[in-house]
Amino acid sequence: MNTIETLTNKQKNVIMLGLTLSVLLAALDSTIVSTAMKNITNDLNGLDLFAWPLTIYMLFSTIITPISGKLADTFGRKLFFMIGAITFLVGSVLCGLSQSMIQLIIFRAIQGLGCGILMANTFAMIGDIFPPAERAKNSGIAYSAFGLASIIGPLLGGTITDHFGWRWIFYINLPIGFLFITLILITVPTIKNGSTARRSVDYAGTAVLIAGLIPMLLAFTWAGKKYQWSSPVIIYMFAFSAIMLIVFGLIERKAKEPILPLALFKDRTFRVASTSVFLSNASMFGAVLFIPLFVQVVLGKNATNSGMAMAPLMLSFAIASMLSGRVISKTGKLKIFAVNGFIITAIGFFFLTRFDASSTILQINIAMIISGLGIGLNMPVFTLAVQNAFQQNQMGVVTAAVQFFRNIGGTIASAVFGAIMLSSITNGIKKVDLTQFSSSNPPFDFSTMITNPQALTNVNTINAFKEQVPPSAMDDFNKLLLRINDILSTSIQQVFMASLLIAIAAIAISLLLPNHSIQEKQRQNKSKLNIDR
């Protein structure tokens, strides 16, 4: 029997390599698939299900996060990490073997489950293995993998698809996955609480939580796209979700081993951290989702340029995450990074609200760098805060809960921001007087071009319509396109404004974070912990 303290620095470095690779691989599969979807839908004849392989992955990875965190606390972190890794790799192989879109969607759900289990347990495992001072530095390194994945994911996906076929974007996971599984299996100790008592599983709470989350996340995903926000389908899904979540709360109050203990919310650090990460991810999605759209549709740049516009944000995010982790390790200060991170993010988003059709790529890059620095500075903070505030035997559930609220924030924001943009576009289009664009002889009918406001955000749709315009009406088309660009610019600016307001709200919330320092301290349950090789 050994103790955690017997791990050498070399062993800890190997552990961090394995954990960082697991984060990188799981994060990659949320971005790498996007560039291959056109080839996938063409090969599997599934254009009508285009969004589902992406949606289902995020849906299931979000749902499983709080569940796996609690189960890992009960049955062992290393065990559940391995379950997540194997599930992810099995899902990857099955995705590569898919012969229909339905199969791919089912297998992406399996892959998403593996991703959620990996994410929940990776950061909790960092909390297990490393003392508080080292924990901050290594959390920053692991979080930087998210930024790296966002940069190389689309490029890697396109390259692999073009040269080897889309199936290899899934098969490529196998060698990397086997590497980090081997590293973790050999190096990471198994933590036991020393109790021989039979452990209970909150099956009822788990089932009801799943029943409540699936319709809620689907409703936010579909609202404003597949269905109107006011449609009966969306209303019923939200209503059912609300009922299930209320029932979940009642079950958790009486559960012997609750999946998400309601007592966590009595802790100020947990409340502030959960709210802050929700707002952080929500505000970030305003930039991540809509800057590429702005570059392509408003500025008229190609897809490559729109992708490159995001690179400064993700690169500065990755650098800031690593730097903040290292500085926190030395100073022990958390609150200053939380507050200042949100302030810098808000400054970056303020610049975004000033963009219009005359903006340059350089201006966008500067705003992206500022925003990425702010987001990266506070990214590790809140996970570290809750890990420092709770007992060792709650490490998994509190870490997973923070990750869960982070994911929920992004899911809800993407739907709400999309609704804001489309509502603004619709109102703007209603004010367009087409008689101002009828100077050609005979006048060309542009009404079909503005029938579907959502189609105006698609460059391919605009170009397809342009091919139908006769040369005599091309001047009118260009004038109308400028008007539409102004409408689109204004609409996306409203999204950026919403992101700015959320970031400002996050500043106010983060000010409530207790001003505790991360200190080297003895674990309160240290005497109960044993390590098996």
Side-chain angles (χ1 to χ4, degrees), residues 5 58-59 75 88 102 134 162 218 237 254 297 403 424 465 475:
E5 286 74 15
M58 298 305 298
L59 177 66
F75 297 105
F88 182 84
I102 297 299
E134 293 181 30
D162 289 341
L218 284 178
M237 291 177 77
K254 298 180 179 180
V297 177
Q403 188 65 33
S424 179
F465 188 87
D475 286 343

PDB file of all heavy atoms in Angstrom, residues 5 58-59 75 88 102 134 162 218 237 254 297 403 424 465 475:
ATOM      1  N   GLU A   5       1.043  10.753  -1.665  1.00  0.00           N
ATOM      2  CA  GLU A   5       2.276  11.532  -1.568  1.00  0.00           C
ATOM      3  C   GLU A   5       3.500  10.787  -2.095  1.00  0.00           C
ATOM      4  O   GLU A   5       4.549  11.399  -2.325  1.00  0.00           O
ATOM      5  CB  GLU A   5       2.507  11.954  -0.117  1.00  0.00           C
ATOM      6  CG  GLU A   5       1.583  13.074   0.370  1.00  0.00           C
ATOM      7  CD  GLU A   5       0.160  12.598   0.614  1.00  0.00           C
ATOM      8  OE1 GLU A   5      -0.060  11.360   0.679  1.00  0.00           O
ATOM      9  OE2 GLU A   5      -0.732  13.450   0.728  1.00  0.00           O
ATOM     10  N   MET A  58     -23.237  16.312 -27.992  1.00  0.00           N
ATOM     11  CA  MET A  58     -23.231  17.263 -26.900  1.00  0.00           C
ATOM     12  C   MET A  58     -24.341  16.960 -25.893  1.00  0.00           C
ATOM     13  O   MET A  58     -24.163  17.139 -24.683  1.00  0.00           O
ATOM     14  CB  MET A  58     -23.392  18.685 -27.444  1.00  0.00           C
ATOM     15  CG  MET A  58     -22.266  19.130 -28.357  1.00  0.00           C
ATOM     16  SD  MET A  58     -20.624  18.963 -27.582  1.00  0.00           S
ATOM     17  CE  MET A  58     -20.791  20.080 -26.190  1.00  0.00           C
ATOM     18  N   LEU A  59     -25.483  16.481 -26.390  1.00  0.00           N
ATOM     19  CA  LEU A  59     -26.613  16.174 -25.519  1.00  0.00           C
ATOM     20  C   LEU A  59     -26.254  15.087 -24.510  1.00  0.00           C
ATOM     21  O   LEU A  59     -26.418  15.254 -23.296  1.00  0.00           O
ATOM     22  CB  LEU A  59     -27.808  15.737 -26.377  1.00  0.00           C
ATOM     23  CG  LEU A  59     -29.074  15.305 -25.635  1.00  0.00           C
ATOM     24  CD1 LEU A  59     -29.686  16.479 -24.895  1.00  0.00           C
ATOM     25  CD2 LEU A  59     -30.093  14.716 -26.619  1.00  0.00           C
ATOM     26  N   PHE A  75     -17.770   4.540  -6.500  1.00  0.00           N
ATOM     27  CA  PHE A  75     -17.137   3.285  -6.903  1.00  0.00           C
ATOM     28  C   PHE A  75     -15.679   3.422  -7.338  1.00  0.00           C
ATOM     29  O   PHE A  75     -15.023   2.423  -7.590  1.00  0.00           O
ATOM     30  CB  PHE A  75     -17.944   2.640  -8.032  1.00  0.00           C
ATOM     31  CG  PHE A  75     -19.330   2.250  -7.627  1.00  0.00           C
ATOM     32  CD1 PHE A  75     -20.417   2.990  -8.041  1.00  0.00           C
ATOM     33  CD2 PHE A  75     -19.549   1.145  -6.820  1.00  0.00           C
ATOM     34  CE1 PHE A  75     -21.711   2.644  -7.659  1.00  0.00           C
ATOM     35  CE2 PHE A  75     -20.830   0.782  -6.429  1.00  0.00           C
ATOM     36  CZ  PHE A  75     -21.919   1.536  -6.854  1.00  0.00           C
ATOM     37  N   PHE A  88     -15.915   5.679 -25.118  1.00  0.00           N
ATOM     38  CA  PHE A  88     -15.594   6.653 -26.162  1.00  0.00           C
ATOM     39  C   PHE A  88     -14.961   5.965 -27.371  1.00  0.00           C
ATOM     40  O   PHE A  88     -15.327   6.250 -28.528  1.00  0.00           O
ATOM     41  CB  PHE A  88     -14.651   7.712 -25.598  1.00  0.00           C
ATOM     42  CG  PHE A  88     -14.279   8.791 -26.568  1.00  0.00           C
ATOM     43  CD1 PHE A  88     -15.094   9.889 -26.757  1.00  0.00           C
ATOM     44  CD2 PHE A  88     -13.104   8.705 -27.305  1.00  0.00           C
ATOM     45  CE1 PHE A  88     -14.757  10.886 -27.669  1.00  0.00           C
ATOM     46  CE2 PHE A  88     -12.749   9.692 -28.207  1.00  0.00           C
ATOM     47  CZ  PHE A  88     -13.577  10.783 -28.388  1.00  0.00           C
ATOM     48  N   ILE A 102     -28.870   7.125 -39.241  1.00  0.00           N
ATOM     49  CA  ILE A 102     -29.454   6.686 -37.980  1.00  0.00           C
ATOM     50  C   ILE A 102     -28.409   5.953 -37.149  1.00  0.00           C
ATOM     51  O   ILE A 102     -28.286   6.174 -35.933  1.00  0.00           O
ATOM     52  CB  ILE A 102     -30.671   5.783 -38.224  1.00  0.00           C
ATOM     53  CG1 ILE A 102     -31.786   6.560 -38.945  1.00  0.00           C
ATOM     54  CG2 ILE A 102     -31.196   5.219 -36.912  1.00  0.00           C
ATOM     55  CD1 ILE A 102     -32.306   7.749 -38.160  1.00  0.00           C
ATOM     56  N   GLU A 134      -0.384  22.443  -6.783  1.00  0.00           N
ATOM     57  CA  GLU A 134      -0.106  21.819  -8.078  1.00  0.00           C
ATOM     58  C   GLU A 134      -1.384  21.662  -8.906  1.00  0.00           C
ATOM     59  O   GLU A 134      -1.346  21.644 -10.130  1.00  0.00           O
ATOM     60  CB  GLU A 134       0.533  20.447  -7.862  1.00  0.00           C
ATOM     61  CG  GLU A 134       1.925  20.487  -7.252  1.00  0.00           C
ATOM     62  CD  GLU A 134       2.501  19.085  -7.097  1.00  0.00           C
ATOM     63  OE1 GLU A 134       2.152  18.208  -7.907  1.00  0.00           O
ATOM     64  OE2 GLU A 134       3.275  18.867  -6.158  1.00  0.00           O
ATOM     65  N   ASP A 162     -10.477  14.850 -46.601  1.00  0.00           N
ATOM     66  CA  ASP A 162     -10.058  15.014 -47.997  1.00  0.00           C
ATOM     67  C   ASP A 162      -9.082  13.923 -48.447  1.00  0.00           C
ATOM     68  O   ASP A 162      -9.115  13.487 -49.605  1.00  0.00           O
ATOM     69  CB  ASP A 162      -9.407  16.393 -48.194  1.00  0.00           C
ATOM     70  CG  ASP A 162     -10.426  17.521 -48.113  1.00  0.00           C
ATOM     71  OD1 ASP A 162     -11.626  17.238 -48.260  1.00  0.00           O
ATOM     72  OD2 ASP A 162     -10.018  18.674 -47.871  1.00  0.00           O
ATOM     73  N   LEU A 218     -33.126  19.206 -25.778  1.00  0.00           N
ATOM     74  CA  LEU A 218     -33.654  19.125 -27.144  1.00  0.00           C
ATOM     75  C   LEU A 218     -34.511  20.341 -27.467  1.00  0.00           C
ATOM     76  O   LEU A 218     -34.464  20.869 -28.585  1.00  0.00           O
ATOM     77  CB  LEU A 218     -34.471  17.843 -27.325  1.00  0.00           C
ATOM     78  CG  LEU A 218     -33.683  16.540 -27.473  1.00  0.00           C
ATOM     79  CD1 LEU A 218     -34.634  15.360 -27.582  1.00  0.00           C
ATOM     80  CD2 LEU A 218     -32.770  16.599 -28.696  1.00  0.00           C
ATOM     81  N   MET A 237     -42.399  20.124 -24.176  1.00  0.00           N
ATOM     82  CA  MET A 237     -41.100  19.588 -23.761  1.00  0.00           C
ATOM     83  C   MET A 237     -40.564  20.336 -22.545  1.00  0.00           C
ATOM     84  O   MET A 237     -40.047  19.721 -21.594  1.00  0.00           O
ATOM     85  CB  MET A 237     -40.102  19.665 -24.924  1.00  0.00           C
ATOM     86  CG  MET A 237     -40.425  18.716 -26.068  1.00  0.00           C
ATOM     87  SD  MET A 237     -39.298  18.883 -27.479  1.00  0.00           S
ATOM     88  CE  MET A 237     -37.867  18.016 -26.872  1.00  0.00           C
ATOM     89  N   LYS A 254     -34.531  12.865  -0.341  1.00  0.00           N
ATOM     90  CA  LYS A 254     -34.686  11.655   0.468  1.00  0.00           C
ATOM     91  C   LYS A 254     -33.686  10.562   0.108  1.00  0.00           C
ATOM     92  O   LYS A 254     -33.609   9.546   0.815  1.00  0.00           O
ATOM     93  CB  LYS A 254     -36.112  11.110   0.310  1.00  0.00           C
ATOM     94  CG  LYS A 254     -37.190  12.074   0.784  1.00  0.00           C
ATOM     95  CD  LYS A 254     -38.583  11.469   0.601  1.00  0.00           C
ATOM     96  CE  LYS A 254     -39.660  12.418   1.102  1.00  0.00           C
ATOM     97  NZ  LYS A 254     -41.024  11.849   0.942  1.00  0.00           N
ATOM     98  N   VAL A 297     -20.708  36.090 -43.832  1.00  0.00           N
ATOM     99  CA  VAL A 297     -21.920  36.695 -44.402  1.00  0.00           C
ATOM    100  C   VAL A 297     -21.803  38.208 -44.521  1.00  0.00           C
ATOM    101  O   VAL A 297     -22.138  38.790 -45.556  1.00  0.00           O
ATOM    102  CB  VAL A 297     -23.155  36.315 -43.558  1.00  0.00           C
ATOM    103  CG1 VAL A 297     -24.400  37.010 -44.106  1.00  0.00           C
ATOM    104  CG2 VAL A 297     -23.347  34.814 -43.542  1.00  0.00           C
ATOM    105  N   GLN A 403     -18.899  21.287 -14.279  1.00  0.00           N
ATOM    106  CA  GLN A 403     -18.801  21.006 -15.712  1.00  0.00           C
ATOM    107  C   GLN A 403     -20.184  20.926 -16.348  1.00  0.00           C
ATOM    108  O   GLN A 403     -20.401  21.380 -17.476  1.00  0.00           O
ATOM    109  CB  GLN A 403     -18.042  19.699 -15.937  1.00  0.00           C
ATOM    110  CG  GLN A 403     -17.708  19.392 -17.387  1.00  0.00           C
ATOM    111  CD  GLN A 403     -16.749  20.399 -17.992  1.00  0.00           C
ATOM    112  OE1 GLN A 403     -15.879  20.927 -17.309  1.00  0.00           O
ATOM    113  NE2 GLN A 403     -16.911  20.693 -19.266  1.00  0.00           N
ATOM    114  N   SER A 424     -34.315  39.558 -35.054  1.00  0.00           N
ATOM    115  CA  SER A 424     -33.852  40.852 -35.556  1.00  0.00           C
ATOM    116  C   SER A 424     -33.827  40.870 -37.088  1.00  0.00           C
ATOM    117  O   SER A 424     -34.216  41.870 -37.717  1.00  0.00           O
ATOM    118  CB  SER A 424     -32.458  41.149 -35.011  1.00  0.00           C
ATOM    119  OG  SER A 424     -31.968  42.370 -35.501  1.00  0.00           O
ATOM    120  N   PHE A 465     -28.849  32.071 -55.301  1.00  0.00           N
ATOM    121  CA  PHE A 465     -29.849  33.020 -55.788  1.00  0.00           C
ATOM    122  C   PHE A 465     -29.226  34.007 -56.773  1.00  0.00           C
ATOM    123  O   PHE A 465     -29.853  34.391 -57.767  1.00  0.00           O
ATOM    124  CB  PHE A 465     -30.459  33.784 -54.612  1.00  0.00           C
ATOM    125  CG  PHE A 465     -31.628  34.655 -54.994  1.00  0.00           C
ATOM    126  CD1 PHE A 465     -32.912  34.134 -55.017  1.00  0.00           C
ATOM    127  CD2 PHE A 465     -31.448  35.982 -55.359  1.00  0.00           C
ATOM    128  CE1 PHE A 465     -33.987  34.929 -55.384  1.00  0.00           C
ATOM    129  CE2 PHE A 465     -32.507  36.783 -55.722  1.00  0.00           C
ATOM    130  CZ  PHE A 465     -33.792  36.253 -55.736  1.00  0.00           C
ATOM    131  N   ASP A 475     -27.245  45.251 -60.617  1.00  0.00           N
ATOM    132  CA  ASP A 475     -27.044  46.431 -59.771  1.00  0.00           C
ATOM    133  C   ASP A 475     -28.044  46.456 -58.623  1.00  0.00           C
ATOM    134  O   ASP A 475     -27.693  46.766 -57.480  1.00  0.00           O
ATOM    135  CB  ASP A 475     -27.181  47.709 -60.612  1.00  0.00           C
ATOM    136  CG  ASP A 475     -25.979  47.936 -61.505  1.00  0.00           C
ATOM    137  OD1 ASP A 475     -24.919  47.323 -61.254  1.00  0.00           O
ATOM    138  OD2 ASP A 475     -26.109  48.718 -62.471  1.00  0.00           O
TER     139      ASP A 475
END
